[in-house]
Amino acid sequence: MIIIGIHKFFTSLNDLERIFRAPGRFKFEEHNVAAHSWKVSQYAMFFGTLEELNGATVNWKSLYEKTINHDFAEVFIGDIKTPVKHASVELKQMLAHVEEKMMEKFIREEIPPEFQEIFLERMKEGKDETLEGRLLEFSDKLDQFYESFAELKRGNTDKEFIIMYQQALEKLLKMPLDVSVRYFKEEILRDVISEETHINIAALTNEVLNKPDR
């Protein structure tokens, strides 16, 4: 008789600490997927609070479940660079399908039966049209923004981090979260631009802010 226990899931969490983001590039600071998920949950907690203080109703249970679990599937496929993942709609959909099927297989084989339906719900794609899904997407992109900012601040001239910084900034400014986006633009960006950096962050930022469609 095969007994399925939660042990395999718990040990797999260690694997997330060994999966590094933006693989193959020189970085002053390495960031792993486990730390990324924690940071995303912290960003979401702040911006969820901000939205709530401005009249929104936040499902905090859903928000925390979405943020801490959103990249668990990278245990199976690793961290795929954003430019690759978004190279085409078809590729993005294919990767999402692979992640979903591998996650489902893992849950069916490694999670005790009485918890499987709960895990299937918690581990599904969290970026959706709900407030919580949008906060997840905003927070996920914010961490990409901060990771690239940290590299540029210290003088990393790898062009990929310039692209990453500006793409993250553009997407953050276009998110359908008026309160969060306004706070990010008026408060956080002001502090970002005022920091002393080796690469001209203010110029890179204003390049995005001054685009005709902004």
Side-chain angles (χ1 to χ4, degrees):
M1 178 181 177
I2 299 176
I3 300 175
I4 301 177
I6 200 68
H7 169 71
K8 184 69 174 179
F9 172 69
F10 287 161
T11 56
S12 70
L13 299 178
N14 291 333
D15 297 334
L16 291 176
E17 295 183 81
R18 292 188 287 272
I19 300 173
F20 293 99
R21 289 166 57 77
R25 317 302 301 194
F26 166 75
K27 297 182 287 292
F28 286 108
E29 299 177 36
E30 289 284 6
H31 301 276
N32 65 60
V33 174
H36 164 71
S37 296
W38 180 81
K39 287 185 290 181
V40 167
S41 70
Q42 294 294 312
Y43 301 143
M45 179 175 66
F46 174 80
F47 285 100
T49 301
L50 184 65
E51 294 284 342
E52 193 173 60
L53 289 173
N54 283 270
T57 300
V58 179
N59 182 333
W60 288 100
K61 179 176 182 292
S62 172
L63 181 61
Y64 287 133
E65 288 179 351
K66 285 175 180 289
T67 53
I68 63 174
N69 294 317
H70 79 282
D71 271 348
F72 180 80
E74 291 189 7
V75 161
F76 312 117
I77 66 171
D79 181 74
I80 297 174
K81 297 175 187 177
T82 298
V84 175
K85 191 180 292 186
H86 295 271
S88 71
V89 174
E90 293 77 15
L91 179 58
K92 185 178 179 182
Q93 290 174 341
M94 188 185 306
L95 288 169
H97 179 72
V98 170
E99 283 186 349
E100 180 184 348
K101 291 303 177 184
M102 293 189 76
M103 177 67 76
E104 184 177 334
K105 182 175 184 292
F106 177 82
I107 291 172
R108 295 299 185 195
E109 292 180 355
E110 305 295 349
I111 301 298
E114 65 267 31
F115 300 113
Q116 287 181 4
E117 294 307 314
I118 296 171
F119 269 72
L120 286 169
E121 178 64 24
R122 287 179 178 170
M123 296 296 190
K124 70 181 183 181
E125 173 57 59
K127 295 175 183 175
D128 53 32
E129 298 306 308
T130 64
L131 173 60
E132 296 74 27
R134 288 173 174 172
L135 283 168
L136 165 60
E137 187 171 2
F138 185 86
S139 301
D140 192 29
K141 196 54 59 180
L142 184 61
D143 198 41
Q144 181 182 322
F145 172 86
Y146 270 123
E147 287 183 3
S148 53
F149 169 73
E151 293 300 312
L152 297 174
K153 178 180 177 179
R154 295 178 64 175
N156 190 335
T157 57
D158 189 325
K159 189 176 180 180
E160 184 161 322
F161 290 107
I162 294 175
I163 295 171
M164 190 186 300
Y165 176 85
Q166 292 190 312
Q167 286 183 344
L169 177 57
E170 283 194 56
K171 290 180 180 178
L172 285 165
L173 293 172
K174 291 178 180 177
M175 282 292 298
L177 289 167
D178 292 344
V179 171
S180 294
V181 171
R182 185 168 61 250
Y183 188 94
F184 170 74
K185 187 176 181 180
E186 295 177 359
E187 301 292 335
I188 294 175
L189 273 188
R190 181 188 61 195
D191 292 338
V192 167
I193 291 172
S194 68
E195 282 211 40
E196 185 177 334
T197 58
H198 285 280
I199 292 176
N200 194 336
I201 292 291
L204 293 176
T205 303
N206 287 324
E207 193 176 307
V208 173
L209 293 174
N210 295 330
K211 279 189 173 182
D213 61 339
R214 287 253 37 92

